[in-house]
Amino acid sequence: MATRRALHFVFKVKNRFQTVHFFRDVLGMQVLRHEEFEEGCKAACNGPYDGKWSKTMVGFGPEDDHFVAELTYNYGIGDYKLGNDFMGITLASSQAVSNARKLEWPLSKVAEGIFETEAPGGYKFYLQDRSPSQSDPVLKVTLAVSDLQKSLNYWSNLLGMKIYEQDEEKQRALLGYADNQCKLELQGIQGAVDHAAAFGRIAFSCPQKELPDLEDLMKRESHSILTPLVSLDTPGKATVQVVILADPDGHEICFVGDEAFRELSKMDPKGSKLLDDDP
């Protein structure tokens, strides 16, 4: 499974410019590309909305080798209720801690050298006050699960992720496709996982030829397929193929064909200007 890559996490945002200010000026990411769409996505990338929307990709470097954030903005949708499903993204960046202090962005110390902060909309980020030991400062995405063993069976046995750490007592596990990629942390909680309206989506790539097999595997195992294999168009850019799955707790997972996605996700030097010029 070394050919699979962790790509991005999708956030629904209610205030695009405040949110971009947080990712760009506090965290220190850059706008990698910005795209506008006149109608809802065939794979519900923008959630269950049919109207005009935009997608802004932000990260510490090119999507080829960095885990990034996809900021999805639905025109005319004012708010999204948060659930307990997304527990945070952890990154190593003393620069982000310094930026937050300088801009007086709220930080709270949760452990030695680790600070919690929130993006607009209430999404949690954990900032480690140190230099990253790898080229990408984004270390892990943490999602809540109701049954750790059931989730490990799904993510490891079916989706082929390697288990890097497992702590039965703390009901957590760390998984990934490669040592130098952003990891997925599963954290057991009491009770059900509530996705509310703000629910996100985590995306991975795989060789395009694996997509039908992945869909067939989920059918055989009677797991949820939210969107069967479909082609998605981006005006003026590459067309990609995706399959959208859901894990046992309903976390949305996008698998996209890697070859076309590398073409689609090339950094656009005009991305920041397109976003800033947009009304």
Side-chain angles (χ1 to χ4, degrees), residues 7-258:
L7 300 177
H8 55 257
F9 193 84
V10 181
F11 294 98
K12 293 193 195 75
V13 304
K14 60 181 179 180
N15 185 316
R16 192 165 59 183
F17 293 99
Q18 274 185 8
T19 303
V20 169
H21 166 62
F22 171 78
F23 281 91
R24 195 161 48 182
D25 303 329
V26 178
L27 297 186
M29 292 182 176
Q30 56 186 317
V31 173
L32 303 169
R33 54 189 169 104
H34 176 75
E35 294 147 8
E36 294 281 334
F37 301 87
E38 290 303 317
E39 56 187 29
C41 169
K42 282 190 285 188
C45 311
N46 60 318
Y49 306 100
D50 293 330
K52 187 179 176 189
W53 65 289
S54 75
K55 172 199 293 186
T56 309
M57 309 302 287
V58 291
F60 287 106
E63 292 177 65
D64 265 2
D65 51 13
H66 289 77
F67 188 86
V68 309
E70 176 178 319
L71 310 178
T72 295
Y73 176 72
N74 289 292
Y75 287 84
I77 306 294
D79 208 358
Y80 302 98
K81 184 175 182 295
L82 276 179
N84 63 0
D85 51 346
F86 173 77
M87 298 184 77
I89 284 182
T90 301
L91 51 99
S93 172
S94 45
Q95 186 60 54
V97 175
S98 167
N99 293 345
R101 286 178 175 144
K102 209 175 296 175
L103 294 166
E104 298 183 346
W105 196 275
L107 280 180
S108 58
K109 188 174 179 178
V110 291
E112 193 55 47
I114 302 176
F115 297 86
E116 181 187 294
T117 190
E118 283 185 8
Y123 303 111
K124 288 192 188 308
F125 282 76
Y126 294 92
L127 312 181
Q128 296 183 0
D129 192 6
R130 64 179 180 85
S131 299
S133 55
Q134 56 193 51
S135 60
D136 185 6
V138 182
L139 304 178
K140 63 183 178 182
V141 177
T142 306
L143 300 179
V145 297
S146 59
D147 182 329
L148 185 60
Q149 283 310 319
K150 194 186 280 188
S151 296
L152 282 173
N153 178 59
Y154 182 89
W155 288 93
S156 182
N157 295 347
L158 297 183
L159 291 185
M161 279 191 145
K162 176 183 170 185
I163 299 173
Y164 281 86
E165 296 172 15
Q166 190 174 345
D167 187 329
E168 287 295 334
E169 199 180 333
K170 292 182 177 168
Q171 280 294 290
R172 64 171 286 277
L174 193 69
L175 302 94
Y177 281 123
D179 297 356
N180 61 346
Q181 288 183 22
C182 174
K183 304 297 185 296
L184 172 66
E185 182 176 54
L186 303 176
Q187 176 62 61
I189 61 167
Q190 295 295 317
V193 174
D194 174 18
H195 298 276
F199 65 89
R201 174 182 286 181
I202 191 164
F204 302 91
S205 73
C206 67
Q208 190 168 306
K209 65 179 190 300
E210 289 180 15
L211 290 171
D213 299 339
L214 196 53
E215 188 176 322
D216 289 345
L217 172 66
M218 292 306 164
K219 279 181 189 158
R220 281 200 312 275
E221 297 288 334
S222 303
H223 280 292
S224 181
I225 299 167
L226 300 179
T227 306
L229 188 59
V230 65
S231 293
L232 300 182
D233 300 321
T234 298
K237 295 191 178 180
T239 295
V240 297
Q241 289 196 314
V242 304
V243 172
I244 312 297
L245 310 173
D247 83 347
D249 286 295
H251 289 290
E252 294 197 359
I253 308 153
C254 170
F255 272 93
V256 58
D258 190 71

